[in-house]
Tab-separated table of all heavy atoms in Angstrom:
chain	number	residue	atom	x	y	z
Q	16	LEU	N	14.614	-39.372	69.337
Q	16	LEU	CA	14.181	-40.616	68.787
Q	16	LEU	C	14.511	-40.647	67.242
Q	16	LEU	O	14.973	-41.643	66.758
Q	16	LEU	CB	12.641	-40.793	68.932
Q	16	LEU	CG	12.192	-41.470	70.186
Q	16	LEU	CD1	10.659	-41.529	70.230
Q	16	LEU	CD2	12.714	-42.900	70.142
Q	21	GLY	N	17.811	-42.645	62.917
Q	21	GLY	CA	18.639	-42.418	61.709
Q	21	GLY	C	20.025	-42.932	61.905
Q	21	GLY	O	20.645	-43.463	60.995
Q	32	ALA	N	30.904	-54.919	62.574
Q	32	ALA	CA	32.315	-55.041	62.241
Q	32	ALA	C	33.149	-55.516	63.508
Q	32	ALA	O	34.163	-56.065	63.258
Q	32	ALA	CB	32.815	-53.643	61.820
Q	37	GLY	N	30.194	-65.000	62.303
Q	37	GLY	CA	29.215	-66.049	62.609
Q	37	GLY	C	28.202	-65.685	63.640
Q	37	GLY	O	27.051	-66.039	63.544
Q	39	LEU	N	26.676	-63.071	64.034
Q	39	LEU	CA	25.507	-62.207	63.540
Q	39	LEU	C	24.316	-63.033	63.169
Q	39	LEU	O	23.231	-62.557	63.099
Q	39	LEU	CB	26.000	-61.450	62.301
Q	39	LEU	CG	26.816	-60.132	62.684
Q	39	LEU	CD1	27.554	-59.734	61.507
Q	39	LEU	CD2	25.760	-59.065	63.097
Q	43	LYS	N	19.707	-64.093	69.021
Q	43	LYS	CA	19.749	-63.201	70.114
Q	43	LYS	C	20.367	-61.844	69.652
Q	43	LYS	O	21.445	-61.730	69.163
Q	43	LYS	CB	20.745	-63.753	71.235
Q	43	LYS	CG	20.236	-63.478	72.611
Q	43	LYS	CD	21.034	-64.263	73.629
Q	43	LYS	CE	22.499	-63.761	73.747
Q	43	LYS	NZ	23.332	-64.608	74.563
Q	46	LEU	N	22.807	-55.553	71.551
Q	46	LEU	CA	23.036	-54.156	71.196
Q	46	LEU	C	24.418	-53.755	71.493
Q	46	LEU	O	24.999	-52.817	70.729
Q	46	LEU	CB	22.044	-53.244	72.034
Q	46	LEU	CG	20.645	-53.118	71.367
Q	46	LEU	CD1	19.757	-52.221	72.206
Q	46	LEU	CD2	20.762	-52.571	69.891
Q	50	ASP	N	31.516	-59.302	73.026
Q	50	ASP	CA	32.664	-60.097	72.535
Q	50	ASP	C	33.427	-59.414	71.411
Q	50	ASP	O	33.860	-60.015	70.455
Q	50	ASP	CB	32.079	-61.410	71.981
Q	50	ASP	CG	30.850	-61.144	71.085
Q	50	ASP	OD1	30.407	-59.898	70.905
Q	50	ASP	OD2	30.328	-62.082	70.525
Q	93	THR	N	33.922	-19.875	30.575
Q	93	THR	CA	33.677	-19.437	29.194
Q	93	THR	C	32.172	-19.320	28.901
Q	93	THR	O	31.631	-18.403	28.384
Q	93	THR	CB	34.309	-20.338	28.165
Q	93	THR	OG1	35.680	-20.543	28.449
Q	93	THR	CG2	34.219	-19.793	26.761
Q	102	LYS	N	25.988	-21.247	21.781
Q	102	LYS	CA	26.198	-21.468	23.188
Q	102	LYS	C	24.934	-22.035	23.957
Q	102	LYS	O	25.053	-22.969	24.693
Q	102	LYS	CB	26.532	-20.083	23.894
Q	102	LYS	CG	26.576	-20.087	25.382
Q	102	LYS	CD	26.973	-18.661	25.862
Q	102	LYS	CE	26.499	-18.472	27.288
Q	102	LYS	NZ	26.914	-17.070	27.725
Q	105	LEU	N	24.395	-25.627	22.900
Q	105	LEU	CA	25.451	-26.426	23.645
Q	105	LEU	C	24.930	-26.713	25.050
Q	105	LEU	O	24.971	-27.893	25.503
Q	105	LEU	CB	26.780	-25.677	23.660
Q	105	LEU	CG	27.922	-26.422	24.344
Q	105	LEU	CD1	28.295	-27.658	23.451
Q	105	LEU	CD2	29.149	-25.517	24.508
Q	108	SER	N	22.061	-29.095	24.953
Q	108	SER	CA	22.397	-30.442	24.504
Q	108	SER	C	23.204	-31.180	25.561
Q	108	SER	O	23.038	-32.355	25.765
Q	108	SER	CB	23.230	-30.392	23.196
Q	108	SER	OG	24.470	-29.774	23.473
Q	110	PHE	N	22.579	-31.113	28.616
Q	110	PHE	CA	21.465	-31.557	29.515
Q	110	PHE	C	20.781	-32.769	28.839
Q	110	PHE	O	20.640	-33.786	29.444
Q	110	PHE	CB	20.570	-30.406	29.822
Q	110	PHE	CG	19.638	-30.750	30.954
Q	110	PHE	CD1	20.103	-30.825	32.203
Q	110	PHE	CD2	18.251	-30.878	30.711
Q	110	PHE	CE1	19.284	-31.136	33.300
Q	110	PHE	CE2	17.480	-31.155	31.766
Q	110	PHE	CZ	17.934	-31.265	33.047
Q	119	MET	N	18.835	-44.599	28.850
Q	119	MET	CA	19.074	-45.852	28.201
Q	119	MET	C	20.148	-46.649	28.990
Q	119	MET	O	20.850	-47.421	28.429
Q	119	MET	CB	19.726	-45.565	26.821
Q	119	MET	CG	18.988	-44.641	25.940
Q	119	MET	SD	19.520	-44.804	24.285
Q	119	MET	CE	21.236	-44.666	24.384
Q	127	LEU	N	28.613	-49.327	25.438
Q	127	LEU	CA	29.949	-48.917	25.972
Q	127	LEU	C	30.878	-50.061	26.039
Q	127	LEU	O	32.085	-49.961	25.637
Q	127	LEU	CB	29.730	-48.228	27.337
Q	127	LEU	CG	30.834	-47.350	27.785
Q	127	LEU	CD1	31.046	-46.165	26.882
Q	127	LEU	CD2	30.569	-46.899	29.216
Q	131	LEU	N	34.333	-50.404	23.949
Q	131	LEU	CA	35.614	-50.438	24.592
Q	131	LEU	C	36.332	-51.785	24.321
Q	131	LEU	O	37.523	-51.788	24.182
Q	131	LEU	CB	35.461	-50.276	26.099
Q	131	LEU	CG	34.995	-48.782	26.501
Q	131	LEU	CD1	34.690	-48.764	28.010
Q	131	LEU	CD2	36.011	-47.802	26.171
Q	133	LYS	N	36.042	-53.446	21.517
Q	133	LYS	CA	36.616	-53.315	20.137
Q	133	LYS	C	37.818	-52.471	20.206
Q	133	LYS	O	38.786	-52.712	19.359
Q	133	LYS	CB	35.556	-52.699	19.227
Q	133	LYS	CG	34.413	-53.579	18.923
Q	133	LYS	CD	34.344	-53.861	17.373
Q	133	LYS	CE	33.580	-55.183	17.100
Q	133	LYS	NZ	32.156	-54.907	16.839
Q	144	GLY	N	38.220	-43.857	34.678
Q	144	GLY	CA	38.210	-42.523	35.241
Q	144	GLY	C	37.778	-41.513	34.176
Q	144	GLY	O	36.961	-40.592	34.434
Q	168	LYS	N	31.145	-9.246	37.174
Q	168	LYS	CA	32.075	-9.171	36.040
Q	168	LYS	C	33.200	-8.128	36.243
Q	168	LYS	O	34.186	-8.211	35.567
Q	168	LYS	CB	31.329	-8.801	34.781
Q	168	LYS	CG	31.459	-9.721	33.543
Q	168	LYS	CD	30.553	-9.258	32.448
Q	168	LYS	CE	31.112	-9.753	31.168
Q	168	LYS	NZ	30.253	-9.496	30.070
Q	180	SER	N	46.216	-12.183	31.548
Q	180	SER	CA	45.673	-12.855	30.389
Q	180	SER	C	44.521	-13.783	30.850
Q	180	SER	O	44.246	-13.817	32.054
Q	180	SER	CB	46.789	-13.796	29.823
Q	180	SER	OG	47.130	-14.792	30.826
Q	216	SER	N	32.145	-52.604	37.815
Q	216	SER	CA	32.041	-54.081	37.944
Q	216	SER	C	31.974	-54.725	36.561
Q	216	SER	O	32.453	-55.778	36.348
Q	216	SER	CB	30.809	-54.449	38.695
Q	216	SER	OG	29.654	-54.072	38.051
Q	229	GLY	N	35.302	-54.203	45.029
Q	229	GLY	CA	35.872	-55.138	45.992
Q	229	GLY	C	35.000	-55.438	47.136
Q	229	GLY	O	34.867	-56.527	47.572
Q	232	SER	N	32.362	-57.752	46.157
Q	232	SER	CA	32.976	-59.046	45.856
Q	232	SER	C	33.100	-59.836	47.127
Q	232	SER	O	33.353	-61.085	47.031
Q	232	SER	CB	34.181	-58.976	45.093
Q	232	SER	OG	35.293	-58.668	46.050
Q	235	ALA	N	29.978	-63.768	49.089
Q	235	ALA	CA	30.147	-65.024	48.358
Q	235	ALA	C	28.849	-65.573	47.949
Q	235	ALA	O	27.818	-65.098	48.295
Q	235	ALA	CB	30.963	-65.936	49.258
Q	237	TRP	N	27.470	-68.543	48.831
Q	237	TRP	CA	26.616	-69.219	49.812
Q	237	TRP	C	26.580	-68.444	51.166
Q	237	TRP	O	25.609	-68.528	51.836
Q	237	TRP	CB	27.189	-70.610	50.047
Q	237	TRP	CG	27.185	-71.384	48.715
Q	237	TRP	CD1	28.347	-71.844	48.150
Q	237	TRP	CD2	26.122	-71.758	47.929
Q	237	TRP	NE1	28.061	-72.405	46.980
Q	237	TRP	CE2	26.702	-72.411	46.804
Q	237	TRP	CE3	24.748	-71.599	48.063
Q	237	TRP	CZ2	25.854	-72.972	45.799
Q	237	TRP	CZ3	23.949	-72.063	46.967
Q	237	TRP	CH2	24.547	-72.761	45.845
Q	250	LEU	N	35.867	-48.443	56.477
Q	250	LEU	CA	37.027	-47.927	55.892
Q	250	LEU	C	36.753	-47.219	54.546
Q	250	LEU	O	37.437	-46.212	54.248
Q	250	LEU	CB	38.113	-49.029	55.703
Q	250	LEU	CG	38.586	-49.712	56.982
Q	250	LEU	CD1	39.652	-50.769	56.623
Q	250	LEU	CD2	39.115	-48.725	57.974
Q	251	TYR	N	35.848	-47.800	53.806
Q	251	TYR	CA	35.509	-47.245	52.537
Q	251	TYR	C	34.886	-45.900	52.627
Q	251	TYR	O	35.167	-45.043	51.771
Q	251	TYR	CB	34.515	-48.284	51.870
Q	251	TYR	CG	33.925	-47.865	50.557
Q	251	TYR	CD1	34.754	-47.503	49.499
Q	251	TYR	CD2	32.521	-47.845	50.368
Q	251	TYR	CE1	34.234	-47.194	48.224
Q	251	TYR	CE2	32.010	-47.583	49.124
Q	251	TYR	CZ	32.913	-47.217	48.122
Q	251	TYR	OH	32.333	-46.872	46.872
Q	254	PRO	N	37.275	-41.820	53.518
Q	254	PRO	CA	37.783	-40.746	52.547
Q	254	PRO	C	36.623	-39.744	52.230
Q	254	PRO	O	36.858	-38.549	52.142
Q	254	PRO	CB	38.237	-41.491	51.328
Q	254	PRO	CG	38.572	-42.815	51.721
Q	254	PRO	CD	37.604	-43.139	52.877
Side-chain angles (χ1 to χ4, degrees):
Chain Q
L16 267 179
L39 277 163
K43 215 169 71 189
L46 274 180
D50 48 358
T93 307
K102 173 175 157 179
L105 180 69
S108 67
F110 193 67
M119 312 196 307
L127 197 64
L131 292 175
K133 288 241 160 95
K168 233 178 158 177
S180 65
S216 67
S232 79
W237 306 113
L250 295 184
Y251 176 52

